[in-house]
Amino acid sequence: MIIRTTTAFIVLLILARVMGKKQISQLTFFHYVTGITIGSIAAEISVNSETHFFNGTISLIWWALLTVFVNLLTIKSFKARKLLDDKPTILILKGKISEQGLKKARFTLNDLNMMLREQGVFSITDVNYAILETNGELSILKKASQEPATRQDVKAPGKEPKYIPTEIISDGKLIKENLTELKLTEEWVYDQLKKKGIGTIEQVYYAEIQGDGSLHVDEKTGE
């Protein structure tokens, strides 16, 4: 039993390094489930003498390899990423509760208020945007009047952002769905890229529209 446990421990330690930090952080429900499953298989190998040790170890390794494969697939393909990891859901949009978003997330108003209180927000009126992330956590953007003042803001009136910061290019591909939601056109994107000396979208690794309407661009390094 000591030998089985020690071996399972070493295999699990190696697999954890192979799967990387993304699995450990449990960014999505998929990573959460696979983490529990891999741990359960390792525990079964360690404590259940009736479990065939070799078969259990192969199952453990194969499950980890499938997880790595899915992670690589979501990195290479935006469609696969959207299918497997889903996408964030907007629950509060420009200070108003999104009933459609609540229904999609199967959230009640009590659930929303509870998660806001966990963020230190006790009134929905203080929130400009609230987004339910793919890992189940709630990200919020408070209204400008509720944000802590900086030295630059001390004498400046509160001003709401024109846009919520949103990615519009990911790994050289234009995210048309986000452009439509922001009411922006592809021509506008091309014009912004030209101003930065970038000829094609394929040269861009990541681009994000900022709250003031400007475009942040991170070019590919070619590595």
Side-chain angles (χ1 to χ4, degrees), residues 56-197:
T57 304
I58 292 298
S59 176
L60 182 66
I61 295 173
W62 184 242
W63 191 280
L65 291 178
L66 287 176
T67 303
V68 172
F69 171 75
V70 171
N71 286 335
L72 292 175
L73 185 62
T74 56
I75 292 173
K76 295 295 183 180
S77 171
F78 177 76
K79 292 182 178 179
R81 188 185 318 154
K82 184 177 178 180
L83 177 65
L84 297 172
D85 291 344
D86 202 357
K87 62 178 183 178
T89 303
I90 297 177
L91 302 183
I92 298 179
L93 178 64
K94 295 183 178 179
K96 294 183 179 180
I97 297 173
S98 171
E99 295 183 21
Q100 183 179 358
L102 287 177
K103 289 179 181 179
K104 182 179 179 181
R106 292 186 286 275
F107 260 46
T108 66
L109 288 173
N110 289 338
D111 295 331
L112 178 59
N113 278 316
M114 178 190 70
M115 297 192 76
L116 288 175
R117 289 193 295 270
E118 289 177 345
Q119 298 269 10
V121 178
F122 287 81
S123 175
I124 290 178
T125 59
D126 294 342
V127 181
N128 200 20
Y129 290 93
I131 301 174
L132 184 65
E133 305 292 356
T134 54
N135 64 350
E137 297 290 335
L138 187 70
S139 300
I140 64 171
L141 177 64
K142 294 182 181 179
K143 291 183 177 179
S145 58
Q146 300 298 323
E147 291 284 2
T150 63
R151 294 182 179 179
Q152 185 178 1
D153 295 332
V154 170
K155 296 181 180 180
K159 185 179 180 181
E160 303 296 346
K162 186 177 181 181
Y163 298 103
I164 180 173
T166 306
E167 64 174 340
I168 58 174
I169 299 177
S170 178
D171 198 14
K173 295 180 181 179
L174 192 66
I175 305 175
K176 297 181 180 180
E177 182 180 348
N178 290 351
L179 279 180
T180 302
E181 292 180 358
L182 295 171
K183 297 181 180 179
L184 296 173
T185 63
E186 294 184 32
E187 289 74 17
W188 180 87
V189 176
Y190 285 116
D191 288 340
Q192 295 298 314
L193 293 179
K194 287 180 180 178
K195 290 179 181 178
K196 297 179 180 292

